[in-house]
Amino acid sequence: MKFIEGMWRLKEGIRIDWMSNVERLSINNETVDLLLNKLQRHRGDTLNSATVTAQITSPLEGIIGVNLIHWAGALDQGPQFELASSTGHVQIAHTERESLRYSSGPLTLAITTTPNELEFSFTGADKPTTKLTGHSWRSIGYVSDQTTDKSRWEDGLYLERQGYMLAELDLGVGEKLYGLGERFGPFVKNGQTVDIWNEDGGTSSELAYKNIPFYISSAGYGVFVNNPGKVSFELQSERTTRVNISIPGEELQYFIVYGSTPKEILRRYTALTGRPSLVPAWSYNLWLTTSFTTNYDEQTVTSFLDGFRDRDIPLGVFHFDCFWMKSYQWCDFDFDSDMFPDAAGYIKRLKERGLRISVWLNPYIGQASPLFREGKENGYFIKRTDGTIFQWDNWQAGMAIIDFTNPSARTWFSDKLTHLLSLGIDSFKTDFGERIPYKNILYHDTTLSPHRMHNYYTYLYNKTVHSVLLSTPNINANPDPSKTAILFSRSATVGSQRHPIHWSGDSESTFPAMAETLRGALSLSLCGFIFHSTDIGGFEGTPHPSVYKRWIQFGLLSTHSRLHGSNSYRVPWLFDSESVDVLRDAVKRKIALSPYLLSLALQGSRTGTGVMRPLFVEFPDDWNVYDLDREYMLGDGLLVAPVFGEDGGVRFYVPRASNASGKEKSGKWVSWFDHGKVYEGGRWYEETHGFDTLPLLIRPGAVIPVNWKMKGAEDDPLDGLEVLVNGVLDGEVKLEIVNPDRTDEVLKVVTVRPGPDGIVADEQGVKVVWVGH
């Protein structure tokens, strides 16, 4: 939120009490409390002005928190993000009326306590004399706004103002900022205003389904604001030398997360907010949906499935979108008997084809649903402050919203899902969760702030569904599903990486929309989300065949791949015959790569590094990659540059590859499709591709497990396993081959090493394919 006009003038009706001095401080074990006040010329300056208490803590090594509090008398309302913490990693050095040094492992906060010279300066161990960020002159303040309805002039002395806590963090020259959730606008966030407020805005909008108050800086740190409510970021958009962070209310807590590399920042951030959970191997196969508003019944669905089988296109999951239920009754959790008179029998027949089944959900109950009365009588819905149920017609007529703060409502909702699992359902698409009211609202848990619940609601919603999948064996899944489960979620907040996966929501069926979904995926990956999917071909409208085929190439080089649309089907033969070939090749390529993808996911669950990642995450020493958002790394070994034009033209940059010590690595990048086609690092290339290829490059020194014998991602990865090796290895490489039955377990470690006559694998029967130049 902007409060100033230019450098000097405040907006009309705005007053800011700037903190300039440390009045006093106290140290209690690993916590420091500082009393900050305005410029102090004499004792009279202590009167009639605000103070701010700054509390310094460190929840984990390499992370330092600053909690700025104006008035401490507010109710301690939730919800709160679930954060990890430990002790024993803090060192504090204090020189009275001069300085305080607060160190957490490699991160240090130096605070100037000399009278009237307040300054915060964060530094990292790798460059201890270089400031990462901090607070300089006039950068911590309490804002009073008398232009809102809260201010009544007739109240005179007792006039109230809307208050905001304001923290302005310094930026260095050339510093770039990323993240803040799945955002579809410019990938580099400098110059933008971003409000952390979940909304259903589609992908061609500044609104976002997945708002995360965390950004990463190219200078080697991340900033996480610990507040589930509305947080406003002015990223060089109000002060060109700062990120201004404001929150309505009396308290603002942020954490600086240190990392000498982007991967180290993500490792620490996900240690704090939760490591990503894993998903079952079968979910990496191709998903097909009924689409949204199309007409379908058992005959329609069966014809699609026969079409995939007859055209030799492997299909793993079939998804029933909204109209598996009767209109106006979403969600009542019952198949529409007019369209599916024998739902249980039909699901059984689908399972006999080897398919997994997913169905669509949302957390709303339409008034026409038989469940509405049940939910009303038992108090399972969000209410207004007058005790009536919150209802509206925006989506389902007269719909109510399930109150997941009510344990009985959670149990009621969970029981409905358990029944579906007993029929053979394997997964749920947990749609919506963004349209959550916050004015004049009352939750079952009255200690929770409706404003803070607006963003946080999706966490409780998806956690409830995810927990059902983890705790309920069904007749078609592993009898012990306690390690992995998959949702298809649209909304998210901090910690939602624990409840994967997430897809990009409603996109148009165009090349620009395809590009914006990639930007969204890369931004979200910088917030600890390791999986991502899109609606292949776009959601709104019917894509041109060229869009459909290029989106297939991109979508099948994502972690999860789903054919879905709004008012038209997405089966390939409805576009053209070439689409069938493109999809078949793309699906089989992804299945062959599944040992690689499962290994990347397992690594990501330990570290928070996404499977799809921006180039600068993998090549932080190549400054040419920091603006790139039309290409990405699929893991550490493959570069993908999707084609975003009908003519097949694509321009892409090939990074300078480095080894573990940071030195540039010898060798050349190699095309996946033609091993005789090589690329020099540090150069731009322009190419034109038919629909059978795209720029898919193997990194120098990469060792990639593949298996062309597999028919699905859940098959035995060892039977037919090969490793692709590009160039000369610096030393031995250990490949973790993941158990498809339990994707949290390693089935076997294969060691690949340089030998006297070339590259060898120490596991008998593992074929090595050397593609180096």
Side-chain angles (χ1 to χ4, degrees):
M1 186 171 180
K2 293 183 172 68
F3 302 109
I4 64 174
E5 295 177 349
M7 288 181 63
W8 314 115
R9 188 175 184 275
L10 297 177
K11 289 185 175 182
E12 291 296 330
I14 297 295
R15 184 185 76 198
I16 303 180
D17 291 307
W18 294 110
M19 301 299 105
S20 301
N21 179 64
V22 177
E23 180 73 10
R24 64 181 68 95
L25 66 84
S26 62
I27 301 172
N28 182 16
N29 294 324
E30 297 184 358
T31 299
V32 176
D33 288 293
L34 304 103
L35 182 64
L36 310 181
N37 56 5
K38 70 177 186 179
L39 181 74
Q40 297 295 298
R41 298 162 299 180
H42 48 72
R43 298 188 72 177
D45 286 333
T46 63
L47 305 176
N48 301 315
S49 66
T51 62
V52 169
T53 298
Q55 186 175 79
I56 315 301
T57 57
S58 176
L60 297 174
E61 179 267 344
I63 302 175
I64 294 177
V66 178
N67 195 18
L68 303 172
I69 304 170
H70 173 230
W71 288 338
L75 293 175
D76 186 17
Q77 289 186 297
Q80 308 288 349
F81 294 131
E82 298 177 14
L83 305 181
S85 64
S86 65
T87 59
H89 51 267
V90 170
Q91 293 183 331
I92 302 172
H94 177 214
T95 302
E96 185 141 2
R97 296 183 66 79
E98 289 186 13
S99 64
L100 180 136
R101 288 180 61 84
Y102 187 101
S103 296
S104 172
L107 179 64
T108 295
L109 168 59
I111 302 175
T112 302
T113 60
T114 303
N116 295 324
E117 294 185 13
L118 174 66
E119 182 175 2
F120 284 39
S121 181
F122 291 92
T123 56
D126 61 329
K127 295 180 181 178
T129 60
T130 301
K131 180 179 178 179
L132 295 170
T133 188
H135 297 292
S136 51
W137 182 69
R138 285 192 173 183
S139 60
I140 298 174
Y142 180 73
V143 180
S144 299
D145 180 0
Q146 65 185 39
T147 67
T148 71
D149 294 339
K150 189 175 184 179
S151 298
R152 291 155 41 95
W153 291 105
E154 59 268 28
D155 290 343
L157 173 65
Y158 301 100
L159 177 145
E160 293 189 53
R161 301 172 175 84
Q162 174 62 57
Y164 299 85
M165 286 304 306
L166 175 62
E168 303 184 359
L169 290 170
D170 296 329
L171 292 173
V173 176
E175 188 173 341
K176 297 180 185 295
L177 308 171
Y178 310 86
L180 295 173
E182 183 192 40
R183 315 211 76 84
F184 304 107
F187 178 54
V188 180
K189 300 302 183 287
N190 300 61
Q192 298 181 40
T193 296
V194 174
D195 287 334
I196 302 300
W197 193 248
N198 285 358
E199 292 290 355
D200 174 10
T203 67
S204 297
S205 166
E206 67 176 350
L207 303 180
Y209 305 103
K210 309 170 189 67
N211 288 268
I212 312 294
F214 173 72
Y215 67 83
I216 281 182
S217 166
S218 61
Y221 65 93
V223 176
F224 166 52
V225 180
N226 183 25
N227 190 303
K230 190 171 188 177
V231 182
S232 181
F233 291 87
E234 298 289 346
L235 303 115
Q236 285 192 306
S237 49
E238 185 174 23
R239 287 293 302 271
T240 59
T241 57
R242 292 177 180 172
V243 173
N244 289 4
I245 306 169
S246 60
I247 295 178
E250 307 297 317
E251 183 175 353
L252 187 160
Q253 184 179 40
Y254 70 84
F255 294 94
I256 300 297
V257 183
Y258 173 74
S260 58
T261 66
K263 290 181 180 179
E264 189 177 355
I265 298 170
L266 288 170
R267 178 182 63 79
R268 287 198 169 97
Y269 170 74
T270 54
L272 178 67
T273 62
R275 297 289 193 207
S277 298
L278 290 166
V279 296
W282 55 259
S283 70
Y284 292 83
N285 294 322
L286 179 64
W287 295 49
L288 173 67
T289 87
T290 57
S291 291
F292 171 33
T293 59
T294 54
N295 291 319
Y296 62 87
D297 53 16
E298 181 171 336
Q299 183 179 358
T300 307
V301 173
T302 301
S303 71
F304 290 160
L305 301 180
D306 289 344
F308 274 79
R309 180 199 61 201
D310 296 343
R311 292 167 175 84
D312 188 30
I313 303 173
L315 184 64
V317 184
F318 189 81
H319 168 76
F320 291 91
D321 217 54
C322 312
F323 282 96
W324 68 276
M325 297 175 283
K326 286 186 182 297
S327 59
Y328 296 107
Q329 294 188 190
W330 307 341
C331 277
D332 63 2
F333 310 97
D334 283 329
F335 275 84
D336 184 345
S337 58
D338 294 334
M339 296 298 173
F340 302 95
D342 177 22
Y346 186 50
I347 292 171
K348 183 175 184 294
R349 292 190 289 277
L350 292 177
K351 307 294 285 192
E352 289 170 352
R353 288 174 174 260
L355 292 169
R356 301 286 181 164
I357 306 299
S358 168
V359 294
W360 177 95
L361 299 175
N362 66 200
Y364 313 136
I365 306 294
Q367 185 169 285
S369 168
L371 298 183
F372 183 87
R373 179 182 294 275
E374 187 178 340
K376 175 184 176 181
E377 291 175 350
N378 290 283
Y380 294 158
F381 300 140
I382 294 173
K383 295 179 180 178
R384 300 183 188 274
T385 51
D386 63 4
T388 61
I389 294 171
F390 174 87
Q391 291 181 264
W392 63 357
D393 295 329
N394 193 351
W395 184 240
Q396 292 291 283
M399 64 172 234
I401 303 175
I402 296 172
D403 184 350
F404 287 104
T405 75
N406 183 342
S408 297
R410 292 198 301 271
T411 299
W412 177 68
F413 187 80
S414 298
D415 288 344
K416 306 300 180 185
L417 304 185
T418 301
H419 170 69
L420 289 170
L421 294 180
S422 71
L423 294 179
I425 303 304
D426 299 285
S427 177
F428 299 108
K429 173 182 172 181
T430 49
D431 208 350
F432 287 86
E434 314 92 356
R435 296 180 179 179
I436 306 302
Y438 59 95
K439 292 184 178 180
N440 302 317
I441 291 299
L442 183 68
Y443 281 91
H444 174 81
D445 185 345
T446 58
T447 67
L448 302 179
S449 159
H451 184 273
R452 292 165 70 95
M453 275 295 296
H454 172 83
N455 287 339
Y456 195 80
Y457 181 91
T458 182
Y459 184 83
L460 297 181
Y461 164 38
N462 284 288
K463 179 181 180 180
T464 299
V465 181
H466 196 243
S467 297
V468 171
L469 287 167
L470 288 175
S471 62
T472 310
N474 69 61
I475 60 175
N476 306 285
N478 190 309
D480 178 13
S482 61
K483 294 295 184 181
T484 61
I486 182 170
L487 310 177
F488 231 90
S489 304
R490 190 173 72 174
S491 54
T493 187
V494 173
S496 292
Q497 64 269 18
R498 297 178 173 126
H499 314 133
I501 69 164
H502 298 81
W503 101 99
S504 59
D506 299 345
S507 57
E508 296 175 328
S509 298
T510 64
F511 281 117
M514 177 178 155
E516 70 199 13
T517 62
L518 174 56
R519 293 195 297 270
L522 298 181
S523 291
L524 189 65
S525 76
L526 296 172
C527 299
F529 290 71
I530 65 173
F531 301 110
H532 195 262
S533 186
T534 64
D535 292 339
I536 293 176
F539 179 73
E540 295 289 349
T542 300
H544 186 276
S546 62
V547 173
Y548 180 73
K549 285 177 280 195
R550 292 304 182 190
W551 211 316
I552 284 172
Q553 292 180 324
F554 163 51
L556 270 299
L557 288 169
S558 305
T559 66
H560 287 77
S561 310
R562 186 180 69 155
L563 298 167
H564 182 59
S566 177
N567 55 9
S568 60
Y569 303 118
R570 290 293 185 265
V571 293
W573 53 89
L574 296 181
F575 293 89
D576 57 27
S577 59
E578 187 178 34
S579 295
V580 174
D581 298 332
V582 172
L583 182 59
R584 182 192 304 112
D585 291 346
V587 173
K588 291 186 176 182
R589 178 169 56 247
K590 183 180 180 184
I591 291 173
L593 278 168
S594 59
Y596 176 63
L597 297 175
L598 267 64
S599 175
L600 294 170
L602 181 59
Q603 296 168 28
S605 72
R606 300 165 178 162
T607 65
T609 300
V611 177
M612 300 168 65
R613 56 191 73 160
L615 267 64
F616 78 82
V617 170
E618 202 60 45
F619 304 99
D621 297 326
D622 187 343
W623 287 99
N624 294 303
V625 304
Y626 276 79
D627 290 333
L628 302 185
D629 59 10
R630 293 194 299 276
E631 53 189 286
Y632 61 96
M633 291 297 294
L634 187 63
D636 55 1
L638 293 175
L639 183 148
V640 184
V643 179
F644 293 106
E646 188 174 351
D647 62 359
V650 56
R651 186 171 185 262
F652 60 97
Y653 177 77
V654 178
R656 294 191 298 270
S658 58
N659 58 22
S661 63
K663 295 181 180 179
E664 188 165 351
K665 187 172 180 60
S666 61
K668 300 178 180 180
W669 295 73
V670 176
S671 168
W672 171 275
F673 298 98
D674 179 358
H675 297 166
K677 193 173 184 179
V678 298
Y679 300 82
E680 298 281 353
R683 288 184 53 189
W684 284 89
Y685 291 85
E686 290 191 41
E687 296 180 346
T688 302
H689 284 260
F691 291 109
D692 56 339
T693 62
L694 77 160
L696 176 59
L697 278 55
I698 305 172
R699 181 181 185 171
V703 180
I704 300 174
V706 296
N707 190 329
W708 291 98
K709 190 175 179 180
M710 296 172 67
K711 303 300 182 184
E714 68 278 18
D715 290 352
D716 180 4
L718 298 177
D719 182 11
L721 181 67
E722 303 176 3
V723 289
L724 301 183
V725 178
N726 179 16
V728 179
L729 298 181
D730 294 329
E732 71 175 26
V733 176
K734 293 187 178 296
L735 297 177
E736 291 184 327
I737 308 302
V738 172
N739 182 357
D741 293 332
R742 294 292 295 264
T743 55
D744 62 315
E745 295 178 353
V746 175
L747 191 64
K748 181 162 289 200
V749 176
V750 176
T751 302
V752 181
R753 63 183 184 276
D757 299 318
I759 307 298
V760 298
D762 70 357
E763 295 293 339
Q764 186 176 4
V766 177
K767 180 181 178 182
V768 175
V769 179
W770 189 68
V771 298
H773 286 262

